[in-house]
Every structure is written in structure tokens, then in C-alpha cells.
Amino acid sequence: MKYSLSATVALVILAGCDNANQTFPSFFSEAGAVVDAHQEFGSATTHNAAIQNGSKSYTVSLAKRFAEEVQSTVNFAFNSSQLDENARATLRQQATWIRQFPEIRFRVYGHTDAVGSNAFNKRLGMRRARAAVSYLSTLGINRSRLEAVVSFGETQPLIVTQGRERRNRRTVTEVSGFVEANPNLLDGKYAQIIYREYITSGVPLPTGAVPTINASE
């Protein structure tokens, strides 16, 4: 017996419906009925809805993304606020990310190790924060979007020690908020931001943008 092409296709579809592990439950489902969980398709809609109803903070989301995508910390030599080449390379990487989001403000926090008095270390930490801000401002970042805040000095070490520790001698750059008070980025301008980020993502990072880690001094 010969089957027509349409009958053969129908049999294939019906046979597929009996497979409990199939991806598509129905050939006739509306577009978008199947969500690809592995690729998290549809997450953007969920994210935007959460921002609109106030259950999720866009500032917190961007801060988390910045920390995940960019090295947020630069380190310093002992008793110094001078930026070495590794520090400048990290700050260039930060600037590349920051330029994609001109709506966002950033703070730079300065830290030291435990050697020296607390008062001296607070001043040193602030000098380090200001050095990072000054360099970022030379990379096309408007100074009004950058803030060197009160230094934590030696009070928040990464490595608990009373001796010299390069990993504690650092600045940390973080997202702090928006340039304008409570802007609604999910209006018509939101598409412009996403498009701008898409275009920028195709530009190669500057040479030397991936920093290396020196041994502790």
C-alpha cells in the first residue's frame, strides 16, 4: 500500500507524540510554547518583569554582573598608591565595561594591609582609590560618574594577617547607582541600551586587558 506524503508526515507527528522525552509536546502549539531551559530562553522577560514590580533591583543586578564579567580589584606595592602595569590593564578592562553603560555610577574603595597605623592606612587607601578614579577618567569615563569614597583602610582584609600582604593592598570598583534618580530603563530607551551593548560586545578588548598576578611583595 502506498501512502501520500501528507499521510506519512501525520504518522511521524503522531508517533512523536508518544515519545515521553520529546522536546515539542505538540506540532500545533503556538510559537514560544516551548522554553529551552538549558539556554534560559525567556529569562530576559522574567528579569524585566521583576524589575518593573520592584522584586528585583536593577542596580544590584548590574553590580553582580560587573563583578562576574570584569576583574573589579587592582593591587598595589607596599606603602604605595602608584598604579603598575597590571593595575592599569585591569582598569582598562573596567573602563571598557563601564563605557557600555553611561547611565551607571561607580565607587572605588581603597584598602591596605595591616602594617602601619589605622589613620595612616585610611589615608593611603583613599590615595589608592583616587589614583584608580583618576586613571579611569583618562579612559573616557566622565569623572562625575566616578567616586573615590571613604577608605576601608586595613579593616576589611582578604587575607587575615598582621604582615605585608599584596592581596589586601587593593582598590575595589563597584556599581553604586544611576546617574539620574530612579530612571525607568525599561521604557523605549531600554532597547537602545541593549543594542548599544550588542554593538560594543563585538569590539576586541585592548591589548593587555587581561591582567596577570604578581607574587606578593
Side-chain angles (χ1 to χ4, degrees):
M1 180 182 295
K2 295 182 178 180
Y3 294 95
S4 66
L5 179 60
S6 59
T8 302
V9 172
L11 287 173
V12 171
I13 294 172
L14 291 174
C17 291
D18 293 332
N19 184 356
N21 295 322
Q22 68 173 3
T23 302
F24 302 99
S26 172
F27 180 79
F28 299 102
S29 293
E30 67 275 12
V34 177
V35 176
D36 186 350
H38 297 289
Q39 298 297 325
E40 296 185 354
F41 183 81
S43 294
T45 299
T46 302
H47 174 79
N48 292 348
I51 296 296
Q52 290 282 50
N53 63 31
S55 63
K56 192 171 188 178
S57 168
Y58 198 68
T59 303
V60 172
S61 298
L62 283 173
K64 180 180 178 182
R65 178 176 171 183
F66 178 77
E68 290 176 345
E69 296 182 357
V70 180
Q71 172 68 346
S72 60
T73 300
V74 299
N75 298 104
F76 294 81
F78 180 72
N79 194 26
S80 173
S81 59
Q82 296 297 313
L83 300 169
D84 61 19
E85 182 50 40
N86 287 337
R88 289 192 291 271
T90 298
L91 291 170
R92 288 195 295 270
Q93 187 184 51
Q94 291 181 14
T96 299
W97 197 99
I98 292 171
R99 282 194 296 267
Q100 297 180 63
F101 297 95
E103 301 82 6
I104 306 174
R105 291 175 54 86
F106 291 80
R107 286 177 179 162
V108 180
Y109 298 88
H111 301 260
T112 70
D113 58 25
V115 179
S117 68
N118 184 57
F120 175 84
N121 284 336
K122 286 183 93 49
R123 292 192 298 271
L124 176 58
M126 181 57 76
R127 290 200 301 273
R128 288 171 174 168
R130 288 172 176 165
V133 165
S134 294
Y135 187 71
L136 286 171
S137 68
T138 69
L139 301 174
I141 311 301
N142 193 308
R143 190 64 177 264
S144 66
R145 299 174 55 207
L146 302 168
E147 182 182 10
V149 299
V150 175
S151 165
F152 286 114
E154 62 188 52
T155 60
Q156 293 190 359
L158 290 177
I159 307 300
V160 180
T161 176
Q162 294 300 309
R164 297 184 180 186
E165 175 53 61
R166 182 178 177 83
R167 285 169 290 183
N168 290 339
R169 303 193 298 266
R170 69 198 192 280
T171 61
V172 180
T173 305
E174 296 181 355
V175 173
S176 62
F178 292 100
V179 174
E180 298 178 4
N182 301 317
N184 182 6
L185 295 180
L186 300 179
D187 58 14
K189 296 181 180 179
Y190 186 63
Q192 297 177 5
I193 296 173
I194 298 303
Y195 179 74
R196 183 183 65 232
E197 182 183 0
Y198 169 74
I199 295 300
T200 306
S201 68
V203 179
L205 289 175
T207 302
V210 179
T212 57
I213 300 177
N214 290 336
S216 298
E217 296 179 13

